Amino acid sequence: MRSTLFLGAFAGLAAANINFHWVQPTCDFTSTEKSPCLKGQSCTEANTCEANVSDEQVYLPAFRRAVPAVKRQAVYSTDGSCGPANGNTICDPKSTVYTGTCCSQYGWCGNTAAHCGTGCLSGCGGAASSSAPPTATGGATTPRSDGRCGKDFAGATCDSKGAFGGCCSAYGYCGSTEGHCLPANGCQNGCTGSTTSASIPVITTATRPPSTTTSGEPVLGKPSSVVAPPTNPTGKATTDGTCGATFGKTVCGSWPQGSCCSMYGYCGSTTSHCGAGCQSGPCVGAPVTPPPGPSPAPAAAKPGSIAIKGRSGVPAMHAALMPNGKVVFLDKVENYTELKLANGQYAYSSEYDPNTQKLAPLAYKTNAFCSGGVFLADGRLVSAGGNAPLDFIDPTVKDGFKGLRLLKRSATDATLDGQAWAEPGGKLSTARWYASLQIMPDGTIFVASGSLNGLDPAKPENNNPTYEILNPSASPQGKSIPMAILSKNQPYYMYPFIHLMRDGNLFVFTSKSSEIFNVGSNTVVKLLPDLPGDYRTYPNTGGSVMLPLSSSNQWNPDIVICGGGPYQDITAPADPSCGRIQPLGAATWELDSMPEGRGMVEGTLLADGSVIWVNGANKGAQGFDLASNPTLEVLIYDPTQALGKRWTTGPKSTIARLYHSVALLLLDGTLLISGSNPVEQPMTAPTAAHPYVTEFRNEIYTPPYLQGNPVRPSAVVLSSKALKADGSKFTIKFNNKAGSKAVKVSLYYGGFVTHSVHMGHRMAFLDTTGFNAAATAQTITVTMPPNKSVAPPGPYVVYVLVDGVPAIGQFVMVS
Ligand SMILES: *[C@@H]1O[C@H](CO)[C@@H](O)[C@H](O)[C@H]1NC(C)=O
Ligand SMILES: *[C@@H]1O[C@H](CO)[C@@H](O)[C@H](O)[C@H]1NC(C)=O
Ligand SMILES: *[C@@H]1O[C@H](CO)[C@@H](O)[C@H](O)[C@H]1NC(C)=O
C-alpha cells in the first residue's frame, strides 16, 4: 500500500515538473558495477531505474529532507540531481548527461520554468545565463538586481519585496521557499522570511456566487477513508493550487505553496497536505510524532462550583463583556428568540446584566451569523462579516456578509445601555463568514479569512483566504490581500487563531499549521512546525490561549492549543491533545493532553492567570446536529506547573454546550458560560432527530479562588483609568484583610468570543511595588507594559488579587 502510494506520487510528480532533457539511464540489475541510476533511484529487476520506494527521503522536496552535514560547497552534479539533499551539487552547463542549469526545489537539474522559476535553488538564471559555481565577484550588502546574494557576492542581501524573494539560499540565490529560507538548508541571509503571501496565487473570484443555503451551513462529511489512496493523478500540473480527484486529477508539481495534494484537494507542504489522506506528491503517510491520547487528571483540591443563573435571551453565538460590566450576546437571524424588539421582530442580540439577571433586546441591521469581532481602540466592540439576509424570517435585517456592526458602552455613561448596534455604512472589502479579528498596536484591525458562501471543499470559489485591514475607527481600507497559510489550508482555513506578540508580529494558526506573520510587510517571518494531531480550527475548532505575559517572562508569549477533531461529521472522535509553543522562543510544540477528547472546547484565562476549559463534545464536529457526547466537566489548567501536572478537573455541568456556545470572565472574577444552539433554527424541546436543542440558560462557574467566599480586596481606587502602554506608572489603593502576604495585578482583555475562539483575548501581569504585608490599607505603584505590542489599545479590566483572591475588576482604557 505504502510503496504503491509513493510510486503513484512519484509518477505524478515526475510528469508534472521533472522535465528532464536527458535519456533516463538503463541499468543492469545483476551488475555489481556502480549503478548508473540517479541518486534516489535503484535498479529494478526489469533493468529500469526506479524511485527508491523504501526511502521516504527521496520523495520529499529538498527542504523536507535530512540535510547532509557536509560543507556547503558548490560541486557540479554528475547525474542531474542537485541541492541540499544531493550532496550540495549545482547543475553543470557542460554536462552531457543532462540539460539545464537550474536546480529545482525538488533537487533536479533542468531549464524549464518549473526548474528555474519559483523555488529554484541554484543556477536560476536559466539556460541563457551562466551557471558557473559562484565566485567572489564583489557586490554590496544591498540587494543585487540579478538576484544573487551571500558570501560570494560580498554579503549581498535579498529584497523581500523584489522579484526573487527575500532569502539567500546556500548557493547564493534569492528566493522565498523553505529551500532558500530555512537555516537548516543553509540559508545565508534574510532567513527569517520565508514566503511572501502576496506572491502566492489565491483562489478567489471577484463576485460571490449566489447564496442559496444561507440559513444552514455546508458540511464536509466523513472522508470515505481517512488515508485516501492516490487517485491516479493525470500528471497535469495545477494552475490554481487545487488538485486531486475533485479538481481534474491535477498534481501540485512545483506549486509555490507545496507539492502535496491534500485529502481535500489543495496543494501545500504541511502535515495536513503530505500526511494522512495525501493524494499525490511527496506524501509521507503516518505522522512522525503521534499526539498523546487522553491523560487522566486528578480532581482539583479546590474545584470551584457551577450554578445556573439568568438567561441569554437570544442564542449565545457570540459574546463579549462590555465596559459597562454587562455582557452582550449576539446571534444570527432566527425564527425564535426569547426577546422581541419594539418593531415586533425577534431580537438577535441582547445585553445581560450579571448582577441583576436583567436582559435588554438589542437591534442590528445585518445578519451577524458567524461573524468575527474585537474591541476598537476607542472601546467600541466591532462585529465583522456574517451571512445573507433571511427575508422570509425577518425582512428588516439585511445582508451581513460584509457587515460592520459597532456597539458602544461605557463604564461611566449608563445612557448608552440598551442602545442598538450601529451600522454607519462601512463594509468589509470582501464577504467574510467566519473571519477572525485582532487589534494591532497602532489600533488598526486585522481581519482574516472567511467564506464567501459556505464551506464546500469542492468549491474554492466560495472561499476568501485573504486578510484586510480596518482603520482604528473600523472604517475599511478596502483591499483584501491573499494570505498563503489560509489559501493552502482550505477548507480548514476559517476562524484562524490569531495572537499579537510582543514584537508586533502575529501568531496565526489554522488547520494544523502556524506561522509568525508580519502585517506591515505582508510577509511570513517564520513558519512554525505543524502541531501533531487533528485539525484544530473550524469546523473542528478546539481552543487557543495566549498565556499570561509578564516582565518575568519578558512578555514572551506561550500559546496553548487544545482539542479539535479529524473531520466534520457526527462520528468524528474529538482530539484530547494540546500543544504549547513559544513562537518567539524555541518554537517547538510541547505536547500534553486533556483527560478526554474535546471539540469546541474553549480556554478562558481567569484573573489569576490559570486557564479554564469548558464546553464542547467528545464526538462530532461544528455544524448543526453534528455533535454528541457533550463534555460537561470543567478542566483547570495551571500553566505554571510542570508538564504532566497542569491539568486538574473541576465540577460537572448539567447542560450540554455544543455548537454556538461561549464562556467569558466577568468583572467579579467568575466565568459566565452560555449558549448551545446546534440546530438550524431554535428548538426548545428535543426530538429523536435533534437530541440537543437551543439553550438559553446561563451558568456561572465560581473558580477555586472564590471558593468558600474568601474576603476580597476592597475599596479599590485606581489613580487613573486612562492608562498608557508605555511602561508608565500608576497607583492603586485598596484594603485587604490582615495577614495578607502578596499582591498581583492583572491587566485583562476578554475580547470577542465565538465558536470557542476568543479573539484578542490576552492578559498581562503588571509589576507592582509598595505592598505592605503588615498593613490592611495599601497604596501600590503599578507599572504598565512596555509597549502596545504587549498591550494593544482598547478596554481592559484591572484585577487586584491579594493572595490569589481577586477584587471586583474595573474597566480601564489603554492607549
Ligand atoms: C536506494 O535503495 C538502494 C537499495 O534499496 C540503496 O542501496 C540505496 O542506498 C538507496 N539510495 C538512496 C539514495 O537512498
Ligand atoms: C422555525 O423554523 C424551523 C425550521 O424551519 C421550523 O421547524 C420551526 O417550526 C420554526 N419555528 C417557528 C417558531 O416558527
Ligand atoms: C515591546 O516590548 C518588548 C519587551 O520589552 C520588546 O521585546 C519588544 O521588542 C517591544 N516591541 C516593539 C514592537 O518594540
Side-chain angles (χ1 to χ4, degrees):
M1 166 67 193
R2 184 132 131 186
S3 65
T4 315
L5 185 136
F6 282 115
L7 274 174
F10 183 77
L13 194 66
N17 67 155
I18 310 299
N19 195 0
F20 294 129
H21 286 233
W22 81 90
V23 180
Q24 176 79 355
T26 51
C27 58
D28 181 358
F29 183 66
T30 57
S31 168
T32 53
E33 306 269 285
K34 186 178 180 302
S35 165
C37 295
L38 299 183
K39 282 204 180 73
Q41 296 186 330
S42 43
C43 195
T44 67
E45 283 171 83
N47 294 335
T48 55
C49 292
E50 294 283 356
N52 258 15
V53 294
S54 58
D55 183 0
E56 291 185 13
Q57 292 273 328
V58 173
Y59 300 93
L60 297 178
F63 64 86
R64 299 180 65 91
R65 298 183 215 179
V67 179
V70 296
K71 212 165 89 199
R72 291 180 182 282
Q73 205 171 32
V75 173
Y76 282 132
S77 166
T78 53
D79 62 4
S81 63
C82 56
N86 296 301
N88 295 300
T89 49
I90 62 168
C91 308
D92 182 354
K94 299 205 183 77
S95 173
T96 52
V97 178
Y98 58 91
T99 307
T101 61
C102 302
C103 180
S104 79
Q105 64 176 311
Y106 305 105
W108 303 97
C109 295
N111 60 9
T112 72
H115 297 85
C116 303
T118 311
C120 174
L121 289 163
S122 63
C124 311
S129 81
S130 159
S131 66
T135 49
T137 55
T141 53
T142 51
R144 293 161 55 101
S145 60
D146 61 0
R148 301 305 309 268
C149 57
K151 63 176 167 31
D152 294 319
F153 294 92
T157 54
C158 301
D159 180 0
S160 64
K161 290 181 178 146
F164 300 99
C167 306
C168 184
S169 78
Y171 308 101
Y173 285 85
C174 296
S176 60
T177 72
E178 286 99 330
H180 297 85
C181 295
L182 291 191
N185 284 335
C187 173
Q188 297 192 52
N189 63 48
C191 311
T192 50
S194 168
T195 310
T196 300
S197 252
S199 70
I200 302 287
V202 163
I203 311 146
T204 70
T205 50
T207 49
R208 175 161 56 85
S211 195
T212 49
T213 59
T214 51
S215 70
E217 295 177 306
V219 170
L220 303 179
K222 186 183 178 184
S224 46
S225 153
V226 171
V227 180
T231 52
N232 301 321
T234 58
K236 232 176 101 214
T238 182
T239 56
D240 63 2
T242 63
C243 55
T246 317
F247 299 106
K249 298 191 177 178
T250 50
V251 298
C252 297
S254 55
W255 186 252
Q257 294 168 19
S259 45
C260 290
C261 180
S262 76
M263 176 166 75
Y264 293 106
Y266 294 89
C267 297
S269 57
T270 73
T271 50
S272 334
H273 298 88
C274 302
C278 176
Q279 299 192 53
S280 66
C283 305
V284 294
V288 185
T289 326
S295 22
K302 276 174 114 182
S305 58
I306 284 190
I308 296 170
K309 201 173 178 190
R311 298 177 81 78
S312 56
V314 305
M317 183 185 290
H318 321 80
L321 178 69
M322 299 301 290
N324 60 357
K326 296 180 181 172
V327 175
V328 60
F329 293 112
L330 178 67
D331 189 35
K332 63 184 168 71
V333 172
E334 307 276 19
N335 69 2
Y336 173 74
T337 74
E338 294 184 339
L339 298 175
K340 281 203 164 175
L341 296 168
N343 68 0
Q345 301 289 347
Y346 287 111
Y348 314 119
S349 180
S350 68
E351 185 167 7
Y352 167 70
D353 185 337
N355 294 321
T356 62
Q357 324 309 323
K358 283 198 178 125
L359 278 166
L362 303 180
Y364 68 52
K365 296 186 184 129
T366 62
N367 191 358
F369 188 4
C370 298
S371 65
V374 79
F375 284 97
L376 303 182
D378 66 12
R380 286 178 297 167
L381 183 69
V382 62
S383 144
N387 202 265
L390 296 175
D391 292 342
F392 57 96
I393 294 179
D394 185 341
T396 69
V397 175
K398 307 298 179 199
D399 188 335
F401 265 109
K402 296 183 183 178
L404 285 171
R405 310 164 196 88
L406 294 161
L407 195 69
K408 185 175 180 181
R409 294 293 186 267
S410 157
T412 52
D413 181 2
T415 65
L416 296 170
D417 293 12
Q419 284 189 9
W421 289 82
E423 289 170 75
K427 295 272 174 227
L428 292 168
S429 79
T430 45
R432 299 186 187 276
W433 189 21
Y434 309 89
S436 292
L437 277 68
Q438 169 66 49
I439 187 161
M440 302 300 293
D442 64 358
T444 57
I445 306 290
F446 179 78
V447 186
S449 195
S451 166
L452 302 168
N453 191 28
L455 192 65
D456 179 345
K459 290 197 177 127
E461 66 272 21
N462 281 7
N463 298 348
N464 191 359
T466 68
Y467 70 90
E468 65 179 284
I469 307 290
L470 305 177
N471 294 316
S473 63
S475 63
Q477 296 191 350
K479 199 167 116 197
S480 288
I481 302 161
M483 191 166 183
I485 193 172
L486 302 178
S487 177
K488 71 180 172 190
N489 281 303
Q490 297 171 86
Y492 277 87
Y493 74 106
M494 300 200 295
Y495 275 150
F497 300 139
I498 302 172
H499 302 283
L500 172 67
M501 301 188 296
R502 67 167 185 198
D503 62 359
N505 290 323
L506 297 178
F507 169 86
V508 180
F509 185 105
T510 194
S511 181
K512 304 176 185 184
S513 311
S514 52
E515 66 183 25
I516 299 175
F517 185 72
N518 184 279
V519 178
S521 63
N522 182 36
T523 43
V524 179
V525 174
K526 188 174 190 178
L527 293 171
L528 299 168
D530 289 349
L531 174 54
D534 293 328
Y535 299 110
R536 310 290 182 165
T537 53
Y538 184 88
N540 292 98
T541 313
S544 175
V545 176
M546 185 163 75
L547 298 176
L549 306 170
S550 66
S551 65
S552 63
N553 61 20
Q554 290 80 47
W555 317 99
N556 194 9
D558 263 62
I559 291 160
V560 59
I561 292 177
C562 290
Y567 47 84
Q568 192 190 20
D569 186 84
I570 194 157
T571 61
D575 191 331
S577 70
C578 302
R580 178 162 158 178
I581 195 167
Q582 247 186 27
L584 302 180
T588 52
W589 290 103
E590 178 197 72
L591 296 174
D592 193 358
S593 58
M594 301 179 284
E596 60 193 333
R598 280 174 95 144
M600 299 179 278
V601 65
E602 57 192 291
T604 311
L605 289 156
L606 294 182
D608 66 353
S610 54
V611 189
I612 292 300
W613 300 78
V614 296
N615 299 345
N618 181 247
K619 243 184 165 174
Q622 291 170 299
F624 298 132
D625 298 307
L626 280 188
S628 66
N629 302 24
T631 42
L632 302 171
E633 201 161 51
V634 171
L635 300 178
I636 305 167
Y637 180 85
D638 181 348
T640 64
Q641 294 296 316
L643 179 64
K645 298 207 154 80
R646 294 177 186 147
W647 292 96
T648 51
T649 60
K652 266 191 172 171
S653 169
T654 53
I655 301 176
R657 305 281 187 186
L658 304 176
Y659 195 40
H660 294 153
S661 50
V662 295
L664 53 75
L665 192 68
L666 299 175
L667 286 180
D668 68 359
T670 63
L671 188 82
L672 172 72
I673 303 171
S674 190
S676 197
N677 186 21
V679 285
E680 189 159 337
Q681 289 293 327
M683 291 180 60
T684 48
T687 63
H690 304 285
Y692 298 103
V693 297
T694 311
E695 185 56 64
F696 291 95
R697 287 174 294 173
N698 297 333
E699 282 169 289
I700 295 290
Y701 170 58
T702 300
Y705 54 46
L706 291 173
Q707 187 172 324
N709 270 323
V711 177
R712 293 178 187 259
S714 59
V716 177
V717 179
L718 279 62
S719 60
S720 171
K721 291 194 176 179
L723 303 172
K724 292 217 175 304
D726 61 357
S728 57
K729 294 182 170 25
F730 67 104
T731 60
I732 304 180
K733 293 184 187 216
F734 61 91
N735 296 335
N736 56 268
K737 68 172 187 188
S740 298
K741 294 186 192 68
V743 68
K744 274 189 153 191
V745 174
S746 53
L747 184 66
Y748 188 99
Y749 188 103
F752 181 96
V753 181
T754 188
H755 288 75
S756 66
V757 185
H758 290 219
M759 299 180 192
H761 190 28
R762 61 172 51 230
M763 75 181 277
F765 283 119
L766 305 182
D767 288 340
T768 67
T769 53
F771 181 78
N772 179 358
T776 56
Q778 311 281 348
T779 303
I780 58 170
T781 301
V782 183
T783 308
M784 285 293 287
N787 55 46
K788 294 184 198 174
S789 299
V790 176
Y796 287 73
V797 177
V798 169
Y799 292 100
V800 175
L801 299 104
V802 173
D803 296 343
V805 179
I808 304 291
Q810 298 188 15
F811 264 100
V812 297
M813 286 297 293
V814 173
S815 61

